[in-house]
Amino acid sequence: PTRLVLEGVESPVSGVRLQKSYALSAERADTVEVKVSARNIRDTDVSWDLWFNTRTPGTTRIYVPVADKEDVRVQSFTDTDIGPLLPHIENGLFSFDRSPLTEGMNTRRGKAFVQPAAGWMAGFSGNQLFVIRFPHHDISRIHPAQGQVELYLDDQRDTQKSLLEMEVHAPYSTLASGEEMQATEWWTAMPYDGPATHAAHADFLCKVAAPQLSLAAACGESEVAPR
């Protein structure tokens, strides 16, 4: 009654077989533990990483702890009616500036590759805070084309069509035949009744969410601009 397990099939494309589990936390009623394992089904080595991709409404205000502006790389997908993303780092938290779209622009679209300062990211949506926690890894263990955290944002003028993806990559690994690797996330939902401002969000993360969920680096003081 508290755990769902999904058994994957052997994939001739990826060369692995996945098993996923979703379990209600025994410690917190507001938390779900998500695990995935991958087993090499080939007779030869397979090199992959495991990643989670959690889709949320594009209006979600996202925050990721960062130690330095060099830990953020932004790729915008621009066109005549598509503007660049507006990255912002303040008080040690990476976020997107959600200023109104200018005339003739229908959306801002792109992806941010982030090396987090701690193993979590948080999204505020309406009267709810959604926190994803995960094991924090050194950047040397993450594939150079990826970030441990990746955020895809399609911030459309029609907010019903907007999308934010909260993605987490595990270490890039080489598996021998029959060998397995695993990755884990913890999802927590918390009520939030404050204003939808950066200052209020940062204050809530520092004073309320951090003590309850042990969110390291949630109370940063640096102010830097991303490259």
Side-chain angles (χ1 to χ4, degrees):
T2 61
R3 185 166 177 258
L4 169 68
V5 178
L6 304 177
E7 294 280 0
V9 298
E10 296 187 353
S11 170
V13 178
S14 64
V16 299
R17 178 174 181 168
L18 298 178
Q19 182 188 78
K20 304 176 184 180
S21 71
Y22 301 82
L24 299 179
S25 171
E27 300 176 356
R28 294 185 61 95
D30 56 7
T31 298
V32 173
E33 181 181 74
V34 186
K35 286 186 176 182
V36 61
S37 65
R39 178 174 58 84
N40 181 5
I41 62 163
R42 292 179 176 163
D43 296 329
T44 57
D45 291 352
V46 168
S47 296
W48 277 114
D49 71 352
L50 289 168
W51 65 93
F52 300 90
N53 186 10
T54 307
R55 291 184 164 187
T56 63
T59 52
T60 301
R61 301 301 176 97
I62 186 74
Y63 299 91
V64 184
V66 293
D68 190 86
K69 63 182 181 180
E70 301 301 321
D71 293 330
V72 178
R73 174 169 56 92
V74 176
Q75 179 183 10
S76 293
F77 309 144
T78 57
D79 206 336
T80 55
D81 62 343
I82 302 175
L85 297 179
L86 302 177
H88 181 73
I89 298 177
E90 183 178 347
N91 295 326
L93 294 174
F94 170 84
S95 62
F96 290 115
D97 184 326
R98 308 303 284 273
S99 297
L101 293 167
T102 58
E103 177 127 12
M105 190 185 301
N106 290 324
T107 186
R108 291 192 183 94
R109 185 180 300 151
K111 197 166 192 178
F113 301 81
V114 183
Q115 174 58 25
W120 61 272
M121 59 177 157
F124 288 84
S125 183
N127 60 354
Q128 179 174 266
L129 167 63
F130 177 53
V131 179
I132 295 179
R133 289 172 291 152
F134 48 87
H136 184 246
H137 298 291
D138 187 82
I139 192 172
S140 63
R141 301 190 64 194
I142 305 301
H143 192 284
Q146 316 296 155
Q148 182 166 19
V149 168
E150 296 184 9
L151 304 170
Y152 171 77
L153 177 62
D154 188 359
D155 188 13
Q156 298 200 33
R157 189 178 296 277
D158 182 354
T159 58
Q160 295 297 316
K161 298 180 180 179
S162 295
L163 172 69
L164 173 71
E165 294 183 342
M166 303 168 67
E167 190 170 330
V168 176
H169 281 256
Y172 183 74
S173 304
T174 297
L175 302 177
S177 180
E179 192 175 8
E180 290 190 358
M181 59 181 174
Q182 295 183 333
T184 306
E185 282 189 340
W186 295 270
W187 297 351
T188 301
M190 303 177 69
Y192 173 75
D193 59 3
T197 65
H198 185 287
H201 290 164
D203 188 65
F204 188 85
L205 286 171
C206 177
K207 296 180 179 178
V208 180
Q212 292 190 37
L213 301 177
S214 300
L215 303 184
C219 302
E221 298 179 350
S222 62
E223 287 195 22
V224 293
R227 56 182 174 177

